[in-house]
Amino acid sequence: MSRQAKAVVCREWGKPVQVETITVDGPKRGEVTIKVAACGVCHSDHSATTGKIQYPPPLVVGHEGAGVVVEVGEGVTGLKEGDYVVTTFITMCGKCRNCVRGRPVLCENAKKSMVTLPDGTVRTHGKDDEDLYVFGACGVMAEYATLHEDNCVKIDEGVPLPSAALVGCAVITGVGSVFNTAQLEPGSRAAVFGIGGVGLNAIQGCVTAGAEMVIAVDTNEAKLEMAKEFGATHTININEVEDVSKAIKKMTAGGVDYAFECVGNGKVVEQAYKALGRAGTVVVVGVADMKDKTSISTFALPADERTLKGSWLGSARPQYDFPKILNLYKANRLKLDELITQTYSIDEAPQAFEDMIAGKNARGVIVFE
Ligand code: NAD
Ligand code: ZN
């Protein structure tokens, strides 16, 4: 059945998002409709509204959601009405070469569903039946959303849904970049550049994985304070040092084993690379502008056996990693509730974007009634 829903829509790159009432069609084969309970506001949503991430408008934003299944399409086997789910912008077909070799975030079929559902069409419509694209096959900054079941991960009841929502992007991206992409060993020395929702989770991933030193780097003092609460052992405000890479090398007597770039800027990638010790690894998590470039010393790559690698959604296997993260949360080994600095109603979504850009929140979360 079709439902009316308030949704956060980007109508034009560079303009603020707006809240509209849209129509959400019921599920087709393999799909479910969820009543969204909460959706985190991620920098990637903002990047899609500026054209930094080139998703065409009109676009329903939101990919970091949690909710309850209210309708199930034909052929759905893994979910039923009433199930609690966290959404993921990765469609995993489970059959392509990358899925079967354990790299579902690189699913060859996911590429087709960056702004539509996997079958190439949408269930979201504006006035006069106009099609609205959806961020990452999700578009869950809306009261209702119809998604493919492969973009939903079933979770246990009992976890507050606003906290669970964050697992779908910020938490898995940060924690997964440490656990899965870097496979950081206990006793390692690490630096995290950019302490937003993603960077804070890279910090707590490093702590949980047993890092000896975790250095938080940002331009914003309030973010560095948050970093300490999430277990950073040291902080550096870039504005207060002449050369951040040298400062890190000095602090660690030679450089870090792992540096996580959670900003999305080639200059920061360069700083992270220069802060490495021998055999060090830079993990690039931030999503830069398509035209952005970075520059590194080619010589040091072999001579120091350095590694430069990227991490997409924390190299996750969502169906495996999301429940694992929620279990670590239940065991008090990862913080989720503390990531939520501020909640907003859907009508306040434009403010939530402004606050994120102003660096006010670890995470702002839209909470639905
Ligand atoms: P955010 O806006 O919450 O945080 C960004 C942080 O970076 C802020 O604290 C800001 O003060 C800091 N910062 C800005 N410029 C800096 C600089 N030059 N040096 C150090 N710190 C600086 O953003 P977020 O939601 O945490 O996302 C961070 C990045 O990760 C974005 O680029 C986002 O698109 C990307 N992202 C990537 C993936 C992935 O799968 N790889 C998933 C989600 C988000
Ligand atoms: Zn995100």
Side-chain angles (χ1 to χ4, degrees), residues 40-45 63-64 89 135 168-170 173 198 313 363:
V41 183
C42 175
H43 209 106
S44 299
D45 291 309
H63 54 280
E64 194 177 81
F89 63 84
F135 187 115
C169 184
T173 298
V198 173
L313 198 73
R363 231 4 168 211

Side-chain angles (χ1 to χ4, degrees), residues 42-44 169 173 194-198 217-220 223 238 262-264 268 285-287 311-313 356 363:
C42 175
H43 209 106
S44 299
C169 184
T173 298
I195 313 301
V198 173
V217 182
D218 205 294
T219 49
N220 177 332
K223 294 300 183 77
I238 292 210
C262 303
V263 178
V268 181
V285 181
V287 179
S311 181
W312 196 237
L313 198 73
M356 177 182 62
R363 231 4 168 211

Side-chain angles (χ1 to χ4, degrees), residues 169-182:
C169 184
V171 181
I172 185 58
T173 298
V175 170
S177 72
V178 178
F179 288 7
N180 297 334
T181 316

Side-chain angles (χ1 to χ4, degrees), residues 166-318:
L166 305 188
V167 174
C169 184
V171 181
I172 185 58
T173 298
V175 170
S177 72
V178 178
F179 288 7
N180 297 334
T181 316
Q183 300 189 359
L184 178 142
E185 313 84 4
S188 298
R189 297 172 177 182
V192 178
F193 291 72
I195 313 301
V198 173
L200 275 174
N201 281 294
I203 288 178
Q204 62 170 341
C206 289
V207 173
T208 304
E212 174 201 66
M213 277 176 92
V214 186
I215 304 166
V217 182
D218 205 294
T219 49
N220 177 332
E221 203 56 44
K223 294 300 183 77
L224 296 173
E225 283 308 311
M226 288 180 201
K228 284 187 203 156
E229 285 163 31
F230 279 76
T233 56
H234 300 73
T235 59
I236 299 178
N237 185 332
I238 292 210
N239 298 325
E240 289 170 8
V241 290
E242 204 169 303
D243 183 327
V244 62
S245 314
K246 279 192 186 149
I248 291 172
K249 282 207 145 167
K250 201 168 164 200
M251 251 177 198
T252 51
V256 285
D257 302 312
Y258 294 96
F260 298 88
E261 198 277 358
C262 303
V263 178
N265 179 329
K267 285 211 173 64
V268 181
V269 174
E270 194 180 326
Q271 289 168 338
Y273 187 81
K274 282 188 183 155
L276 293 180
R278 303 197 80 186
T281 298
V282 172
V283 180
V284 180
V285 181
V287 179
D289 188 282
M290 301 258 282
K291 296 198 185 96
D292 191 65
K293 295 264 192 314
T294 195
S295 144
I296 57 166
S297 152
T298 323
F299 175 78
L301 207 51
D304 282 342
E305 292 205 341
R306 294 188 192 190
T307 305
L308 176 61
K309 64 199 302 195
S311 181
W312 196 237
L313 198 73
S315 311
R317 294 132 303 167

